[in-house]
């Protein structure tokens, strides 16, 4: 068994393709290539489409690196080593909103279409091949590119259906949020799982008959056949690169038309319906801005319960990157659309239930890191969140504080808002709970919990008093 040298950390999500693997060395993101993958890389850099897409920011910036950075002791005599740009925060597709997944899908298809015109394809069609720079998707799986072989279909089609197309159809056609379905299985949604939901007239909805029912039937019919047998049958039937390109264009057109315009949720109008006065808002914004700006410039800020992104935008003026977390997919989708229209590249909106955050998943539970493992922020904003967790979700106040402290990097800052039990918002939550259930939900208890875990540097009581 080969043991990785000290300082070289294999990426847990990169092991399924033996031709290449991603490693971390300090802040560097490196990829080792075997001889065939190295040859594909050299051909790729000599193409026209690849450098153009990198220059446009649609594919992550990549360059050759010294092979000594990833020694052979990591498991293979790597023929070449690449250095990738570092994505500010790694997220997973089940943390994205509908429009985010759709835009990521369209970018993937655009890249595939450009590759096919120059004799390349992608091995994979997974949504996990994309990440974000704020509200801008970026393709990261450089090792997925390989020369296309005439007469063969897109190898990533099934992955694309399961992790991208089926989730989009589930939400667009049925109004069902896809996030819990994707979170349940790292390989995505199987056709057999979804077909029972698309019977009768639903079979005629865009994309369903071709990409769900017929695709599922073909999978069943060819289950016993080898991959080479299927390829031979396609070649004999006259399947060509031109037909493959036309198929990709048709999928691209379908995805572009899928949409969901849900009715507004309770939280989408929160800024108008919450109990803050104009003076409260001004005082709160000034306090938060001063807290984020104090000390060294933060590399990462977490805004938990971000809602419409008011404080995420404020924090972005003083930090390198902000992750804005909100439970409601509708609210996140609205925020994403606004950030995208602004060309915002320093705020990443994510769908996440703070009382049930993304756990580790996939192989050995670490292939996809849980939210707590990814989130170590220089500044954590927990504004109007504590009472929702402590009262609304029955999480003991010490547990809430411990979790928030755990998301904060050593030496970092935690900015919390405590809503008094007498506040109208807290009263509304308490009205649905048995009397006396939360005797410890008091300001003095809250402050003593904080003082036991850190140093309180500043405090402010808003003008409304609660």
């Amino acid at each position: 068994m080969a043991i990785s040298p000290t300082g070289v950390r294999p990426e847990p999500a990169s092991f399924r393709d033996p031709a290449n693997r991603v490693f971390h060395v300090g802040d560097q993101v490196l990829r080792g290539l075997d001889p065939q993958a190295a040859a594909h890389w050299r051909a790729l850099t000599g193409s026209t489409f690849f450098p153009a897409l990198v220059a446009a920011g649609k594919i992550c910036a990549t360059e050759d690196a010294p092979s000594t950075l990833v020694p052979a002791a990591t498991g293979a005599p790597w023929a070449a080593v690449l250095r990738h740009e570092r994505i500010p925060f790694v997220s997973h597709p089940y943390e994205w909103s509908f429009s985010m997944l759709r835009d990521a899908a369209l970018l993937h298809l655009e890249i595939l279409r450009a590759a096919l015109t120059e004799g390349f394809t992608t091995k994979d069609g997974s949504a996990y091949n994309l990440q974000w720079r704020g509200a801008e998707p970026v393709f990261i799986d450089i090792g997925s590119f390989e020369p296309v072989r005439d007469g063969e279909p897109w190898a990533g089609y099934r992955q694309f259906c399961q992790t991208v197309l089926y989730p989009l159809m589930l939400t667009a056609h049925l109004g069902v949020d896809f996030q819990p379905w994707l979170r349940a299985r790292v390989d995505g949604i199987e056709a057999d799982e979804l077909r029972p939901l698309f019977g009768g007239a639903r079979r005629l909805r865009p994309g369903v008959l071709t990409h769900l029912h017929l695709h599922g039937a073909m999978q069943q019919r060819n289950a016993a056949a080898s991959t080479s047998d299927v390829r031979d049958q396609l070649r004999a039937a006259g399947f060509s690169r031109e037909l493959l390109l036309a198929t990709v264009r048709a999928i691209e057109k379908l995805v572009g038309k899928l949409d969901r315009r849900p009715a507004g949720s309770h939280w989408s109008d929160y800024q108008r319906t919450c109990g803050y006065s104009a003076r409260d808002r001004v005082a709160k914004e000034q306090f938060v801005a001063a807290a984020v700006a104090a000390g060294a410039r933060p590399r990462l800020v977490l805004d938990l319960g971000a809602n419409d992104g008011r404080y995420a935008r404020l924090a972005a003026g003083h930090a390198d990157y902000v992750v804005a977390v909100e439970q409601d997919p509708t609210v996140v989708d609205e925020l994403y659309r606004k950030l995208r229209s602004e060309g915002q590249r320093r705020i990443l909106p994510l769908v996440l239930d703070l009382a049930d955050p993304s756990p580790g998943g996939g192989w050995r539970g670490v292939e996809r890191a849980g939210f707590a493992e990814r989130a170590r922020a220089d500044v954590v904003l927990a504004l109007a969140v504590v009472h929702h967790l402590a009262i609304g979700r029955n999480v003991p106040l010490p547990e809430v504080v411990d979790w928030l402290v755990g998301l904060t990097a050593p030496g970092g800052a935690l900015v919390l808002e405590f809503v008094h039990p007498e506040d109208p918002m807290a009263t509304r939550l308490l009205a649905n709970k048995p009397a006396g259930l939360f005797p410890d939900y008091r300001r003095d208890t809250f402050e003593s919990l904080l003082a036991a875990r850190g140093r309180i540097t500043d405090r402010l009581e808003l003008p409304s008093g609660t």
Side-chain angles (χ1 to χ4, degrees):
M1 180 177 71
I3 305 298
S4 295
T6 302
V8 179
R9 309 184 312 280
E11 167 56 51
S14 174
F15 67 90
R16 295 182 182 271
D17 183 356
N20 65 104
R21 185 160 191 188
V22 174
F23 300 88
H24 300 273
V25 178
D27 284 339
Q28 297 184 90
V29 182
L30 306 170
R31 184 186 297 269
L33 306 177
D34 74 2
Q36 184 180 56
H40 293 167
W41 162 249
R42 287 190 290 272
L44 196 62
T45 55
S47 69
T48 301
F49 83 95
F50 181 79
L53 289 171
V54 171
K58 297 180 178 182
I59 296 177
C60 69
T62 303
E63 62 183 6
D64 287 291
S67 59
T68 53
L69 289 175
V70 183
T74 54
W78 303 112
V81 171
L82 308 180
R83 182 188 289 109
H84 300 304
E85 69 169 286
R86 189 171 190 85
I87 301 301
F89 188 88
V90 173
S91 60
H92 303 319
Y94 44 83
E95 297 168 339
W96 304 347
S97 73
F98 177 88
S99 297
M100 293 175 73
L101 183 61
R102 184 189 58 192
D103 287 354
L106 290 172
L107 176 61
H108 198 156
L109 293 167
E110 177 190 348
I111 291 170
L112 175 60
R113 178 167 44 80
L116 287 170
T117 59
E118 292 196 37
F120 286 86
T121 186
T122 57
K123 304 176 191 176
D124 311 303
S126 173
Y128 293 93
N129 287 351
L130 294 112
Q131 284 296 324
W132 296 87
R133 301 187 199 95
E136 176 186 89
V138 55
F139 188 87
I140 63 169
D141 191 7
I142 305 303
S144 180
F145 290 102
E146 66 176 0
V148 66
R149 292 179 285 272
D150 285 332
E152 292 190 7
W154 178 30
Y157 173 65
R158 180 176 179 177
Q159 274 188 330
F160 185 84
C161 286
Q162 292 183 182
T163 64
V164 179
L165 187 55
Y166 294 165
L168 289 174
M169 291 197 302
L170 184 68
T171 301
H173 294 329
L174 302 183
V176 176
D177 291 327
F178 66 80
Q179 289 86 0
W181 290 64
L182 271 186
R183 172 173 150 168
R185 183 179 296 159
V186 71
D187 291 329
I189 306 171
E190 297 277 357
D192 288 346
E193 293 177 297
L194 213 55
R195 280 195 292 176
L197 302 181
F198 283 94
R202 290 175 175 174
R203 295 168 63 93
L204 303 179
R205 295 186 181 181
V208 171
L209 190 59
T210 300
H211 299 288
L212 181 59
H213 288 286
L214 293 180
H215 180 214
M218 289 181 63
Q219 283 182 314
Q220 290 181 343
R221 188 174 67 230
N222 295 315
S226 68
T227 303
S228 59
D229 288 340
V230 175
R231 289 171 177 169
D232 290 343
Q233 292 172 18
L234 287 169
R235 288 194 190 96
F239 190 85
S240 64
R241 190 188 310 178
E242 290 72 25
L243 186 56
L244 174 57
L245 192 56
T247 301
V248 172
R249 288 196 184 102
I251 299 174
E252 196 172 8
K253 184 177 180 181
L254 167 64
V255 171
K257 289 183 176 180
L258 293 176
D259 200 2
R260 183 193 182 193
R261 293 284 183 177
S265 72
H266 166 72
W267 300 109
S268 63
D269 201 23
Y270 179 75
Q271 292 296 341
R272 186 182 65 82
T273 59
C274 66
Y276 294 104
S277 67
R279 292 175 62 210
D280 286 336
R281 293 181 193 278
V282 172
K284 182 175 174 180
E285 289 180 7
Q286 291 176 345
F287 185 88
V288 172
V292 177
R297 182 178 176 87
R299 292 179 61 182
L300 176 65
V301 173
L302 287 182
D303 182 9
L304 305 178
N307 198 260
D308 65 358
R310 175 189 293 261
Y311 295 96
R313 284 186 170 88
L314 189 154
H318 305 282
D320 293 341
Y321 205 70
V322 179
V323 175
V325 172
E326 174 58 48
Q327 177 180 346
D328 192 322
T330 299
V331 174
V332 175
D333 207 58
E334 290 176 2
L335 175 58
Y336 167 73
R337 291 179 188 233
K338 291 176 183 176
L339 294 173
R340 180 187 61 187
S341 68
E342 299 165 7
Q344 177 59 255
R345 295 182 58 175
R346 291 196 293 116
I347 301 176
L348 171 65
L350 294 180
V351 178
L352 193 83
D353 181 354
L354 296 180
D356 184 20
S358 304
W363 175 242
R364 300 176 71 178
V366 297
E367 183 179 355
R368 305 300 172 191
F371 181 73
E373 285 71 47
R374 289 173 280 140
R376 286 292 185 274
D378 301 303
V379 177
V380 175
L381 305 181
L383 309 173
V385 161
V386 171
H387 64 299
H388 286 292
L389 294 173
I391 300 175
R393 304 298 287 273
N394 287 38
V395 181
L397 201 54
E399 292 277 345
V400 174
V401 173
D402 282 342
W403 186 69
L404 293 172
V405 169
L407 297 177
T408 312
L414 179 56
V415 186
L416 303 105
E417 181 175 10
F418 183 79
V419 176
H420 291 222
E422 314 84 64
D423 185 87
M425 298 302 289
T427 302
R428 191 179 307 170
L429 292 172
L430 287 167
N432 298 317
K433 303 289 183 177
L437 186 60
F438 304 101
D440 295 330
Y441 185 77
R442 304 191 312 270
R443 174 174 168 173
D444 58 340
T445 302
F446 181 65
E447 291 196 359
S448 67
L449 290 170
L450 296 179
R453 291 158 176 80
R455 181 169 55 91
I456 299 177
T457 59
D458 199 2
R459 55 166 61 80
L460 170 71
E461 184 168 321
L462 297 181
S464 64
T466 60

